[in-house]
Amino acid sequence: MHGQWGVKVEYHHFLLDEVGQVIINDLKKLKKKHQKKEAEVKFYKGALVLIAALFLAYVLFFTVLPYRFYYGSMISVLINNVYHYVFVGVLATIHYRLKFLDKKAEKAEKEYNALRSEVIQRTEELWPEGEKRDNRHRFFREMKEKYDINLYYEND
């Protein structure tokens, strides 16, 4: 929808009262927070896999292959190489950071879904009878297209 000067105006400014706008703005913030946490989790999972692969390649090329016929020497190199401990420490740190971020992402998702469910359940209050209620499908479509927030039904 365009205003009189060609400025794009979002439907929900016309279709919701102030309380509804606050709730929708909070919903957008929670969706953004959830997406940010999911992106962080994805990044750390990738980093964990990459560093684990590098560690395995390092051990293979610098320990296993050169000492493949000398098991005692191989074990000695595995135990006495400080880089192995650094790799293991980095992997452990990333693993625990990933667990922490995964819990944060799960919490952000629960908060977002709780508020989204509340909006869906309070549809009658937010869009009372009349013109606003008749045009709420435009608002729902805008929220789905622009913000990937589904307000049509609770199970997303």
Short mmCIF file of all heavy atoms in Angstrom, two decimals, residues 11-25 27 114-137 139-140 143 151:
data_model
loop_
_atom_site.label_atom_id
_atom_site.label_comp_id
_atom_site.label_asym_id
_atom_site.label_seq_id
_atom_site.Cartn_x
_atom_site.Cartn_y
_atom_site.Cartn_z
N TYR A 11 0.51 -2.37 6.08
CA TYR A 11 -0.91 -2.49 6.39
C TYR A 11 -1.19 -2.44 7.88
O TYR A 11 -2.18 -1.88 8.30
CB TYR A 11 -1.47 -3.80 5.84
CG TYR A 11 -1.68 -3.79 4.37
CD1 TYR A 11 -0.93 -4.61 3.53
CD2 TYR A 11 -2.63 -2.97 3.78
CE1 TYR A 11 -1.12 -4.60 2.17
CE2 TYR A 11 -2.82 -2.97 2.42
CZ TYR A 11 -2.07 -3.78 1.62
OH TYR A 11 -2.26 -3.76 0.28
N HIS A 12 -0.31 -3.05 8.67
CA HIS A 12 -0.66 -3.19 10.07
C HIS A 12 -0.75 -1.86 10.80
O HIS A 12 -1.32 -1.79 11.87
CB HIS A 12 0.26 -4.18 10.79
CG HIS A 12 1.68 -3.74 10.92
ND1 HIS A 12 2.63 -4.05 9.99
CD2 HIS A 12 2.29 -3.01 11.87
CE1 HIS A 12 3.78 -3.54 10.37
NE2 HIS A 12 3.61 -2.89 11.50
N HIS A 13 -0.21 -0.79 10.25
CA HIS A 13 -0.37 0.51 10.90
C HIS A 13 -1.83 0.97 10.82
O HIS A 13 -2.28 1.74 11.65
CB HIS A 13 0.55 1.55 10.28
CG HIS A 13 2.00 1.28 10.58
ND1 HIS A 13 2.50 1.28 11.86
CD2 HIS A 13 3.04 0.98 9.76
CE1 HIS A 13 3.79 1.01 11.83
NE2 HIS A 13 4.14 0.81 10.57
N PHE A 14 -2.55 0.48 9.83
CA PHE A 14 -3.95 0.85 9.67
C PHE A 14 -4.88 -0.20 10.26
O PHE A 14 -6.02 0.10 10.59
CB PHE A 14 -4.29 1.02 8.19
CG PHE A 14 -3.49 2.11 7.54
CD1 PHE A 14 -2.52 1.82 6.61
CD2 PHE A 14 -3.70 3.44 7.87
CE1 PHE A 14 -1.78 2.81 6.01
CE2 PHE A 14 -2.96 4.45 7.28
CZ PHE A 14 -2.00 4.13 6.35
N LEU A 15 -4.40 -1.42 10.37
CA LEU A 15 -5.27 -2.53 10.77
C LEU A 15 -5.21 -2.86 12.25
O LEU A 15 -5.97 -3.69 12.71
CB LEU A 15 -4.93 -3.78 9.96
CG LEU A 15 -5.16 -3.66 8.45
CD1 LEU A 15 -4.67 -4.90 7.75
CD2 LEU A 15 -6.62 -3.42 8.15
N LEU A 16 -4.29 -2.25 12.98
CA LEU A 16 -4.13 -2.59 14.39
C LEU A 16 -4.15 -1.33 15.25
O LEU A 16 -3.70 -0.27 14.82
CB LEU A 16 -2.78 -3.29 14.62
CG LEU A 16 -2.65 -4.69 14.07
CD1 LEU A 16 -1.22 -5.15 14.15
CD2 LEU A 16 -3.53 -5.65 14.84
N ASP A 17 -4.63 -1.51 16.47
CA ASP A 17 -4.53 -0.40 17.43
C ASP A 17 -3.11 -0.38 17.99
O ASP A 17 -2.25 -1.16 17.60
CB ASP A 17 -5.58 -0.57 18.53
CG ASP A 17 -5.44 -1.89 19.28
OD1 ASP A 17 -4.49 -2.64 19.01
OD2 ASP A 17 -6.29 -2.14 20.15
N GLU A 18 -2.86 0.52 18.93
CA GLU A 18 -1.50 0.68 19.46
C GLU A 18 -1.00 -0.58 20.16
O GLU A 18 0.16 -0.96 20.01
CB GLU A 18 -1.45 1.86 20.44
CG GLU A 18 -1.54 3.21 19.76
CD GLU A 18 -1.46 4.36 20.75
OE1 GLU A 18 -0.70 4.23 21.74
OE2 GLU A 18 -2.14 5.36 20.53
N VAL A 19 -1.85 -1.22 20.92
CA VAL A 19 -1.47 -2.45 21.61
C VAL A 19 -1.10 -3.53 20.61
O VAL A 19 -0.09 -4.22 20.75
CB VAL A 19 -2.61 -2.93 22.55
CG1 VAL A 19 -2.29 -4.29 23.14
CG2 VAL A 19 -2.87 -1.91 23.63
N GLY A 20 -1.89 -3.66 19.58
CA GLY A 20 -1.60 -4.65 18.53
C GLY A 20 -0.29 -4.37 17.83
O GLY A 20 0.48 -5.29 17.54
N GLN A 21 -0.01 -3.10 17.58
CA GLN A 21 1.26 -2.74 16.93
C GLN A 21 2.45 -3.07 17.81
O GLN A 21 3.48 -3.54 17.33
CB GLN A 21 1.25 -1.26 16.55
CG GLN A 21 0.33 -0.96 15.39
CD GLN A 21 0.36 0.51 14.99
OE1 GLN A 21 1.27 1.24 15.35
NE2 GLN A 21 -0.65 0.93 14.25
N VAL A 22 2.32 -2.84 19.12
CA VAL A 22 3.39 -3.18 20.05
C VAL A 22 3.63 -4.69 20.05
O VAL A 22 4.77 -5.16 20.00
CB VAL A 22 3.07 -2.68 21.48
CG1 VAL A 22 4.02 -3.26 22.50
CG2 VAL A 22 3.11 -1.16 21.52
N ILE A 23 2.55 -5.45 20.07
CA ILE A 23 2.67 -6.92 20.07
C ILE A 23 3.33 -7.39 18.78
O ILE A 23 4.24 -8.23 18.81
CB ILE A 23 1.28 -7.58 20.26
CG1 ILE A 23 0.75 -7.32 21.66
CG2 ILE A 23 1.36 -9.09 19.98
CD1 ILE A 23 -0.68 -7.75 21.88
N ILE A 24 2.93 -6.84 17.65
CA ILE A 24 3.51 -7.25 16.37
C ILE A 24 4.98 -6.84 16.28
O ILE A 24 5.82 -7.60 15.78
CB ILE A 24 2.69 -6.67 15.19
CG1 ILE A 24 1.29 -7.30 15.16
CG2 ILE A 24 3.41 -6.87 13.88
CD1 ILE A 24 1.27 -8.81 15.04
N ASN A 25 5.32 -5.66 16.79
CA ASN A 25 6.72 -5.24 16.80
C ASN A 25 7.56 -6.17 17.68
O ASN A 25 8.69 -6.52 17.33
CB ASN A 25 6.86 -3.79 17.25
CG ASN A 25 6.43 -2.82 16.18
OD1 ASN A 25 6.45 -3.12 14.99
ND2 ASN A 25 6.03 -1.63 16.59
N LEU A 27 6.84 -9.28 18.23
CA LEU A 27 6.90 -10.53 17.47
C LEU A 27 8.01 -10.46 16.41
O LEU A 27 8.78 -11.42 16.25
CB LEU A 27 5.55 -10.81 16.82
CG LEU A 27 5.38 -12.14 16.11
CD1 LEU A 27 5.54 -13.28 17.11
CD2 LEU A 27 4.03 -12.22 15.43
N ALA A 114 5.63 -18.75 21.34
CA ALA A 114 4.61 -18.44 22.36
C ALA A 114 3.88 -17.15 22.00
O ALA A 114 2.64 -17.09 22.07
CB ALA A 114 5.25 -18.32 23.73
N LEU A 115 4.63 -16.12 21.61
CA LEU A 115 3.98 -14.85 21.25
C LEU A 115 3.19 -14.99 19.96
O LEU A 115 2.10 -14.45 19.83
CB LEU A 115 5.01 -13.73 21.13
CG LEU A 115 4.43 -12.33 20.91
CD1 LEU A 115 3.45 -11.95 22.02
CD2 LEU A 115 5.54 -11.30 20.80
N ARG A 116 3.71 -15.74 19.00
CA ARG A 116 2.99 -15.96 17.75
C ARG A 116 1.68 -16.68 18.01
O ARG A 116 0.63 -16.31 17.49
CB ARG A 116 3.87 -16.77 16.78
CG ARG A 116 3.33 -16.83 15.37
CD ARG A 116 4.27 -17.60 14.47
NE ARG A 116 4.34 -19.00 14.79
CZ ARG A 116 3.47 -19.92 14.40
NH1 ARG A 116 2.44 -19.57 13.66
NH2 ARG A 116 3.61 -21.17 14.76
N SER A 117 1.72 -17.69 18.88
CA SER A 117 0.49 -18.41 19.24
C SER A 117 -0.49 -17.49 19.95
O SER A 117 -1.71 -17.57 19.71
CB SER A 117 0.81 -19.60 20.14
OG SER A 117 1.54 -20.56 19.44
N GLU A 118 0.03 -16.62 20.80
CA GLU A 118 -0.85 -15.67 21.50
C GLU A 118 -1.54 -14.74 20.51
O GLU A 118 -2.73 -14.47 20.64
CB GLU A 118 -0.05 -14.86 22.52
CG GLU A 118 -0.91 -13.91 23.31
CD GLU A 118 -0.12 -13.08 24.31
OE1 GLU A 118 1.03 -13.44 24.63
OE2 GLU A 118 -0.67 -12.07 24.76
N VAL A 119 -0.81 -14.26 19.52
CA VAL A 119 -1.41 -13.38 18.51
C VAL A 119 -2.51 -14.12 17.76
O VAL A 119 -3.58 -13.58 17.53
CB VAL A 119 -0.33 -12.85 17.53
CG1 VAL A 119 -0.97 -12.17 16.33
CG2 VAL A 119 0.60 -11.89 18.24
N ILE A 120 -2.22 -15.37 17.39
CA ILE A 120 -3.22 -16.15 16.66
C ILE A 120 -4.45 -16.39 17.53
O ILE A 120 -5.59 -16.27 17.06
CB ILE A 120 -2.60 -17.48 16.19
CG1 ILE A 120 -1.55 -17.19 15.10
CG2 ILE A 120 -3.66 -18.42 15.66
CD1 ILE A 120 -0.68 -18.36 14.74
N GLN A 121 -4.25 -16.69 18.81
CA GLN A 121 -5.37 -16.94 19.70
C GLN A 121 -6.17 -15.67 20.00
O GLN A 121 -7.37 -15.74 20.26
CB GLN A 121 -4.88 -17.57 21.00
CG GLN A 121 -4.37 -18.99 20.81
CD GLN A 121 -3.64 -19.50 22.04
OE1 GLN A 121 -3.55 -18.83 23.05
NE2 GLN A 121 -3.12 -20.72 21.94
N ARG A 122 -5.51 -14.53 19.96
CA ARG A 122 -6.18 -13.26 20.27
C ARG A 122 -6.64 -12.53 19.01
O ARG A 122 -6.87 -11.32 19.05
CB ARG A 122 -5.24 -12.37 21.07
CG ARG A 122 -4.95 -12.92 22.45
CD ARG A 122 -4.02 -12.06 23.23
NE ARG A 122 -4.54 -10.72 23.40
CZ ARG A 122 -3.85 -9.71 23.93
NH1 ARG A 122 -2.62 -9.90 24.32
NH2 ARG A 122 -4.39 -8.51 24.05
N THR A 123 -6.82 -13.25 17.94
CA THR A 123 -7.26 -12.63 16.68
C THR A 123 -8.54 -11.85 16.85
O THR A 123 -8.67 -10.74 16.31
CB THR A 123 -7.44 -13.73 15.60
OG1 THR A 123 -6.20 -14.39 15.41
CG2 THR A 123 -7.90 -13.14 14.29
N GLU A 124 -9.45 -12.39 17.61
CA GLU A 124 -10.75 -11.71 17.80
C GLU A 124 -10.57 -10.36 18.50
O GLU A 124 -11.26 -9.40 18.17
CB GLU A 124 -11.68 -12.60 18.64
CG GLU A 124 -11.93 -13.97 18.05
CD GLU A 124 -12.68 -13.92 16.73
OE1 GLU A 124 -13.53 -13.04 16.54
OE2 GLU A 124 -12.38 -14.78 15.87
N GLU A 125 -9.64 -10.28 19.45
CA GLU A 125 -9.39 -9.03 20.15
C GLU A 125 -8.64 -8.02 19.29
O GLU A 125 -8.92 -6.83 19.31
CB GLU A 125 -8.55 -9.27 21.41
CG GLU A 125 -9.22 -10.06 22.49
CD GLU A 125 -8.26 -10.34 23.62
OE1 GLU A 125 -7.56 -9.40 24.06
OE2 GLU A 125 -8.21 -11.49 24.07
N LEU A 126 -7.63 -8.51 18.57
CA LEU A 126 -6.79 -7.61 17.78
C LEU A 126 -7.49 -7.09 16.54
O LEU A 126 -7.21 -5.98 16.08
CB LEU A 126 -5.49 -8.33 17.39
CG LEU A 126 -4.57 -8.69 18.55
CD1 LEU A 126 -3.44 -9.58 18.09
CD2 LEU A 126 -4.02 -7.43 19.22
N TRP A 127 -8.37 -7.90 15.96
CA TRP A 127 -9.12 -7.48 14.79
C TRP A 127 -10.61 -7.65 15.08
O TRP A 127 -11.21 -8.65 14.69
CB TRP A 127 -8.73 -8.31 13.57
CG TRP A 127 -7.36 -8.03 13.10
CD1 TRP A 127 -6.97 -7.02 12.29
CD2 TRP A 127 -6.17 -8.75 13.42
NE1 TRP A 127 -5.61 -7.06 12.09
CE2 TRP A 127 -5.10 -8.12 12.78
CE3 TRP A 127 -5.91 -9.87 14.20
CZ2 TRP A 127 -3.79 -8.57 12.88
CZ3 TRP A 127 -4.61 -10.31 14.31
CH2 TRP A 127 -3.57 -9.67 13.65
N PRO A 128 -11.20 -6.68 15.77
CA PRO A 128 -12.64 -6.79 16.05
C PRO A 128 -13.44 -6.67 14.75
O PRO A 128 -12.89 -6.40 13.69
CB PRO A 128 -12.91 -5.61 16.98
CG PRO A 128 -11.78 -4.67 16.79
CD PRO A 128 -10.62 -5.46 16.28
N GLU A 129 -14.74 -6.87 14.86
CA GLU A 129 -15.62 -6.80 13.69
C GLU A 129 -15.44 -5.48 12.95
O GLU A 129 -15.10 -4.46 13.52
CB GLU A 129 -17.09 -6.92 14.13
CG GLU A 129 -17.45 -8.24 14.75
CD GLU A 129 -17.34 -9.40 13.79
OE1 GLU A 129 -17.60 -9.21 12.59
OE2 GLU A 129 -16.97 -10.50 14.24
N GLY A 130 -15.66 -5.52 11.65
CA GLY A 130 -15.60 -4.30 10.86
C GLY A 130 -14.58 -4.39 9.75
O GLY A 130 -14.12 -5.47 9.37
N GLU A 131 -14.20 -3.22 9.23
CA GLU A 131 -13.29 -3.15 8.08
C GLU A 131 -11.91 -3.72 8.40
O GLU A 131 -11.30 -4.40 7.57
CB GLU A 131 -13.15 -1.70 7.62
CG GLU A 131 -12.29 -1.54 6.40
CD GLU A 131 -12.13 -0.10 5.99
OE1 GLU A 131 -12.97 0.74 6.34
OE2 GLU A 131 -11.12 0.18 5.32
N LYS A 132 -11.42 -3.46 9.60
CA LYS A 132 -10.10 -3.96 9.98
C LYS A 132 -10.07 -5.49 9.93
O LYS A 132 -9.11 -6.09 9.45
CB LYS A 132 -9.70 -3.49 11.37
CG LYS A 132 -9.37 -2.01 11.44
CD LYS A 132 -8.95 -1.62 12.82
CE LYS A 132 -8.58 -0.15 12.87
NZ LYS A 132 -8.10 0.28 14.17
N ARG A 133 -11.13 -6.10 10.41
CA ARG A 133 -11.19 -7.57 10.40
C ARG A 133 -11.29 -8.11 8.99
O ARG A 133 -10.68 -9.12 8.66
CB ARG A 133 -12.36 -8.04 11.23
CG ARG A 133 -12.40 -9.55 11.30
CD ARG A 133 -13.42 -10.05 12.25
NE ARG A 133 -13.20 -11.46 12.43
CZ ARG A 133 -13.39 -12.07 13.54
NH1 ARG A 133 -13.80 -11.41 14.59
NH2 ARG A 133 -13.21 -13.35 13.63
N ASP A 134 -12.02 -7.42 8.14
CA ASP A 134 -12.17 -7.86 6.76
C ASP A 134 -10.85 -7.80 5.99
O ASP A 134 -10.64 -8.56 5.05
CB ASP A 134 -13.22 -7.01 6.03
CG ASP A 134 -14.62 -7.22 6.62
OD1 ASP A 134 -14.85 -8.26 7.27
OD2 ASP A 134 -15.47 -6.32 6.44
N ASN A 135 -9.94 -6.92 6.40
CA ASN A 135 -8.67 -6.75 5.70
C ASN A 135 -7.48 -7.42 6.40
O ASN A 135 -6.35 -7.23 5.98
CB ASN A 135 -8.37 -5.25 5.52
CG ASN A 135 -9.30 -4.61 4.53
OD1 ASN A 135 -9.64 -5.21 3.52
ND2 ASN A 135 -9.75 -3.41 4.84
N ARG A 136 -7.75 -8.19 7.43
CA ARG A 136 -6.63 -8.78 8.17
C ARG A 136 -5.85 -9.79 7.34
O ARG A 136 -4.67 -10.00 7.57
CB ARG A 136 -7.11 -9.41 9.47
CG ARG A 136 -7.87 -10.68 9.29
CD ARG A 136 -8.31 -11.26 10.59
NE ARG A 136 -9.15 -12.42 10.28
CZ ARG A 136 -9.85 -13.05 11.13
NH1 ARG A 136 -9.83 -12.69 12.39
NH2 ARG A 136 -10.58 -14.07 10.77
N HIS A 137 -6.50 -10.40 6.34
CA HIS A 137 -5.78 -11.34 5.48
C HIS A 137 -4.63 -10.66 4.75
O HIS A 137 -3.60 -11.25 4.51
CB HIS A 137 -6.73 -12.01 4.47
CG HIS A 137 -7.29 -11.07 3.45
ND1 HIS A 137 -8.32 -10.21 3.73
CD2 HIS A 137 -6.92 -10.84 2.16
CE1 HIS A 137 -8.57 -9.48 2.66
NE2 HIS A 137 -7.75 -9.84 1.69
N PHE A 139 -2.85 -8.22 6.02
CA PHE A 139 -1.83 -8.11 7.06
C PHE A 139 -1.11 -9.44 7.24
O PHE A 139 0.12 -9.50 7.32
CB PHE A 139 -2.46 -7.64 8.37
CG PHE A 139 -1.54 -7.71 9.54
CD1 PHE A 139 -0.52 -6.78 9.67
CD2 PHE A 139 -1.65 -8.70 10.48
CE1 PHE A 139 0.36 -6.84 10.74
CE2 PHE A 139 -0.79 -8.77 11.55
CZ PHE A 139 0.22 -7.83 11.67
N PHE A 140 -1.87 -10.54 7.31
CA PHE A 140 -1.28 -11.86 7.47
C PHE A 140 -0.34 -12.18 6.31
O PHE A 140 0.76 -12.70 6.50
CB PHE A 140 -2.35 -12.94 7.55
CG PHE A 140 -3.15 -12.94 8.82
CD1 PHE A 140 -4.25 -13.78 8.95
CD2 PHE A 140 -2.83 -12.13 9.90
CE1 PHE A 140 -4.99 -13.80 10.12
CE2 PHE A 140 -3.57 -12.14 11.07
CZ PHE A 140 -4.65 -12.98 11.18
N MET A 143 2.89 -10.13 6.64
CA MET A 143 3.77 -10.68 7.68
C MET A 143 4.47 -11.95 7.18
O MET A 143 5.65 -12.15 7.47
CB MET A 143 2.98 -10.99 8.95
CG MET A 143 2.42 -9.76 9.64
SD MET A 143 3.68 -8.58 10.15
CE MET A 143 4.46 -9.48 11.46
N LEU A 151 0.91 -16.19 10.59
CA LEU A 151 -0.16 -15.93 11.56
C LEU A 151 -1.47 -16.60 11.14
O LEU A 151 -2.51 -16.35 11.75
CB LEU A 151 -0.37 -14.42 11.71
CG LEU A 151 0.81 -13.65 12.31
CD1 LEU A 151 0.54 -12.17 12.29
CD2 LEU A 151 1.11 -14.13 13.70
#
